[in-house]
Amino acid sequence: MDRFRRTIPLIGSAILMAAGFTGQAAAAPAADLADDARVGRFSGVVATADRGIVRIVDARGDAGAEGNIANGTKVAYALASVTKVLTATAVMRLVEDGRVDLTASVETYLPDYADRPFARVTIAQLLSHTGGVPSLLKDDQGLGDEPLDFEALASPISTNALIEQFSDAPLLFEPGARYSYSNSGYILLGRIIEVVTGAPYYDALDALVLGPAGVSSEFCLCRDLSGYPNATAFERHGDRFLPAAVLDPSQTFSAAGVRATPDGLLKWSEALMSGRILRPETLERMWTPVAATRNPGESFALGWLVREVDGVRQVAHDGTMPGVVSYLVLTPADHRAVFGDLNRTLNLDHITDSEAYLRQVVSSIVAGNAPATVPALARTLDRQPLEGAYRLPEDRSFTLDDDAEGQLWLETDGGWSVLQLPKLVRAEGPQAEKAGDAIAAWAAKGQTGIASHFSPDMLANVPAGALDDTWSQFIDQFGAYRRHHVYSVTSDFAEVRINFERGSMDIGIVYDPQGRINGLQPVGQETEMPATRIRVWLTAKGGLWIDGYAHAGPDVTASIDSDGGLTFHSGQRAVRQSAP
């Protein structure tokens, strides 16, 4: 379910979702996620269905805690917020049958809540996240700032009690004004389905959208799906994966409570695209964009994210909960579906990196490309003399050594991490200077200062004072502003590190073709020093590779010089000082 961790939002007309939809559906790519699994990035399954014929792209790792269940398409996984596409489709079935009116308000179907702020929000606005209903399980929604109580979330709750948690909260904005993701809105939709059909939510879901697809046995609103092995969710803490917090399905209900097999979900997707659940005109209505999200070229329709890539429409939804990330992408014109589910993720402080990782893998498959994100690694550690002490500029040093299992390790001399290397570089040139000037204006004059660098769309879409609030959040979290520098630039994107008293924030700046700022994106933050002793891998091409994903940093690569030194991709050269 989106989102579980406290985030600092940046507002813009084109805030990017890393590794979003890319590329048109194509022939099946050569795929191998073995090295992704080897370094701990990939544990789960990715699969495709072409006109309902399911094919595993790759499945790696253990689905169960005892190591006796292999991940695969016949294992049941938590769908998290991918549940929302099922709920939306059920609502559209009721619309098709004349039992629900998209323009009717919530109070039409839930009269007991007629005096609550959300009563005037329409069904269409709930479906498209434009109703302004404050969201459960997200922060900055006016529902309290207390940490999530996972002990309480593990216990069953009635739907009425769930609704009461947000029913008195004022709307975030006038209904229909803009997009703002709301789990609460989809909980209301689940309750409306119950009232209209006279059946419990899941029974109605089965009758309306699962049964017609012939996949009832592969779905449930439950912790464990009967008749199938069930995946356990894990979170990464250092080099260990520990069981993640378990949420009772009633706590997320029609927003994120459904469990299913990838096989069942992909077959359901084909039934949907084939018109066996909804008529073509209803599908078109459901997939017609309603409101732009903060990602360039992407809109939210009635229950689905929608985007065109090379003239081909893609519809999608992702989901996140502790230890789980899921992502479904359909290309209806090709009758193709791609689904991925991870049952081992980073912890909640860094789970957005797991989201970005799975989006990259699935999007590569959609585009017809190999999904691996890790370079081909050497099968065994080359015994060339790499162990020893190395010195970098600015008086930084580190050592390389290998353990009894042949794993190579890099350890710094303290106070810094090799993962910081790419962000210690200072980019130069007009684009870097322009990005630096924009951040300087933000630091000095707030939103008024940085707004002079905005595109017209950005000016129109950023509420007054929003970026002043964001800067205040930086100060509250990290302390006083110190300095900033630009460390990476392209023609349409720049990355800037902003240093504060107690940490740093990395900001991505998106530019339009005219060179004006068209979006701002948080790309990372550091409040603690990343690991100073980390694994190093030899690549099949003879270089070194360090996995930044495991430590919430960028990947780091280096080539081995003829004199025994190392040259990092970010430009710094390490001179070998001594061998063991």
Side-chain angles (χ1 to χ4, degrees):
M1 177 178 287
D2 303 295
R3 292 276 189 261
F4 275 89
R5 75 185 189 99
R6 178 167 297 280
T7 58
I8 296 178
L10 299 184
I11 300 173
S13 60
I15 295 183
L16 297 176
M17 178 185 293
F21 311 122
T22 55
Q24 184 174 343
D32 189 345
L33 291 165
D35 284 330
D36 285 50
R38 182 180 172 191
V39 302
R41 289 190 178 191
F42 179 68
S43 175
V45 59
V46 284
T48 66
D50 291 281
R51 297 192 176 274
I53 305 301
V54 176
R55 179 181 67 86
I56 294 178
V57 175
D58 214 338
R60 305 271 175 174
D62 297 322
E66 305 301 322
N68 58 348
I69 303 172
N71 282 310
T73 57
K74 288 292 188 177
V75 175
Y77 299 87
L79 296 183
S81 283
V82 174
T83 297
K84 289 181 175 68
V85 303
L86 304 173
T87 298
T89 304
V91 171
M92 295 307 290
R93 268 295 308 273
L94 295 173
V95 170
E96 196 172 76
D97 294 344
R99 303 166 70 184
V100 167
D101 181 355
L102 288 174
T103 64
S105 62
V106 170
E107 64 181 329
T108 304
Y109 304 99
L110 303 179
D112 290 347
Y113 297 99
D115 61 342
R116 307 302 170 92
F118 59 65
R120 61 194 179 98
V121 176
T122 69
I123 306 305
Q125 288 165 347
L126 292 181
L127 286 167
S128 59
H129 296 297
T130 57
V133 181
S135 179
L136 289 176
L137 300 175
K138 289 181 65 180
D139 58 358
D140 301 321
Q141 299 287 298
L143 299 178
D145 295 326
E146 298 80 11
L148 293 176
D149 184 347
F150 285 109
E151 184 175 347
L153 288 169
S155 301
I157 189 172
S158 70
T159 303
N160 287 338
L162 197 59
I163 294 174
E164 284 301 321
Q165 293 180 10
F166 62 86
S167 65
D168 290 327
L171 298 181
L172 299 176
F173 49 81
E174 185 65 21
R178 60 182 176 87
Y179 166 88
S180 180
Y181 192 93
S182 177
N183 296 312
S184 305
Y186 270 74
I187 289 167
L188 290 173
L189 288 170
R191 181 62 185 138
I192 289 169
I193 289 171
E194 291 185 327
V195 169
V196 170
T197 63
Y201 163 74
Y202 185 76
D203 291 350
L205 189 72
D206 187 22
L208 292 168
V209 304
L210 301 178
V215 294
S216 297
S217 67
E218 298 192 58
F219 288 75
C220 71
L221 184 70
C222 61
R223 290 195 181 194
D224 293 296
L225 177 61
S226 177
Y228 292 89
N230 285 266
T232 301
F234 297 86
E235 291 181 327
R236 186 166 187 161
H237 296 269
D239 284 329
R240 301 173 62 203
F241 282 97
L242 304 176
V246 177
L247 278 64
D248 190 85
S250 63
Q251 294 281 354
T252 53
F253 190 47
S254 48
V258 172
R259 176 173 286 262
T261 67
D263 182 80
L265 182 63
L266 290 168
K267 289 177 178 176
W268 177 84
S269 300
E270 173 56 24
L272 181 67
M273 292 185 286
S274 297
R276 289 158 49 198
I277 300 172
L278 296 174
R279 293 193 292 265
E281 59 270 25
T282 309
L283 283 174
E284 186 61 32
R285 190 175 189 183
M286 182 169 68
W287 290 335
T288 296
V290 174
T293 69
R294 294 176 180 176
N295 307 311
E298 178 188 273
S299 297
F300 209 89
L302 300 181
W304 297 76
L305 291 163
V306 181
R307 180 170 180 151
E308 282 200 5
V309 178
D310 297 331
V312 176
R313 178 167 59 186
Q314 299 174 5
V315 297
H317 210 294
D318 58 357
T320 302
M321 55 177 42
V324 175
V325 173
S326 59
Y327 192 37
L328 174 68
V329 179
L330 313 184
T331 50
D334 300 321
H335 284 261
R336 191 162 194 253
V338 182
F339 176 68
D341 200 296
L342 302 179
N343 74 314
R344 281 172 166 79
T345 71
L346 299 179
N347 62 41
L348 286 180
D349 286 338
H350 303 294
I351 199 167
T352 53
D353 291 337
S354 295
E355 295 170 357
Y357 168 71
L358 185 61
R359 284 195 297 268
Q360 181 176 349
V361 168
V362 170
S363 298
S364 294
I365 295 167
V366 172
N369 300 322
T373 66
V374 172
L377 302 179
R379 295 299 94 191
T380 58
L381 181 62
D382 191 330
R383 301 312 299 176
Q384 59 182 301
L386 294 174
E387 298 85 352
Y390 295 79
R391 181 164 295 279
L392 283 158
E394 300 183 20
D395 202 32
R396 291 188 173 91
S397 62
F398 62 88
T399 58
L400 286 174
D401 65 86
D402 63 338
D403 60 23
E405 285 75 38
Q407 174 68 58
L408 193 63
W409 294 83
L410 183 152
E411 184 170 6
T412 71
D413 56 0
W416 68 285
S417 168
V418 69
L419 297 174
Q420 295 175 312
L421 287 178
K423 296 182 178 183
L424 295 174
V425 173
R426 294 178 181 271
E428 298 180 349
Q431 186 80 336
E433 184 176 346
K434 181 167 62 174
D437 288 346
I439 299 300
W442 191 10
K445 299 181 180 179
Q447 183 165 320
T448 301
I450 195 172
S452 63
H453 298 261
F454 286 176
S455 69
D457 284 347
M458 187 79 168
L459 286 170
N461 283 283
V462 179
L467 293 179
D468 294 330
D469 292 343
T470 299
W471 192 266
S472 295
Q473 290 181 56
F474 291 165
I475 300 299
D476 289 344
Q477 182 170 353
F478 301 120
Y481 163 76
R482 294 301 190 211
R483 66 190 69 84
H484 67 273
H485 69 272
V486 182
Y487 60 85
S488 177
V489 293
T490 66
S491 61
D492 58 1
F493 193 68
E495 292 181 85
V496 186
R497 166 151 288 201
I498 308 175
N499 292 304
F500 297 89
E501 185 179 16
R502 297 189 302 273
S504 61
M505 190 76 193
D506 296 321
I507 302 297
I509 303 177
V510 184
Y511 290 98
D512 69 7
Q514 287 72 44
R516 300 167 299 194
I517 293 177
N518 206 40
L520 296 171
Q521 170 194 359
V523 293
Q525 65 184 55
E526 287 181 10
T527 54
E528 298 178 358
M529 180 61 59
T532 58
R533 179 174 171 82
I534 52 181
R535 285 185 171 89
V536 179
W537 305 86
L538 277 174
T539 68
K541 293 184 177 180
L544 295 182
W545 179 81
I546 300 170
D547 180 19
Y549 171 84
H551 305 284
D555 293 344
V556 173
T557 59
S559 59
I560 302 170
D561 301 333
S562 58
D563 62 0
L566 301 173
T567 299
F568 289 91
H569 181 70
S570 48
Q572 299 97 329
R573 187 172 187 277
V575 177
R576 194 174 187 202
Q577 300 291 297
S578 64

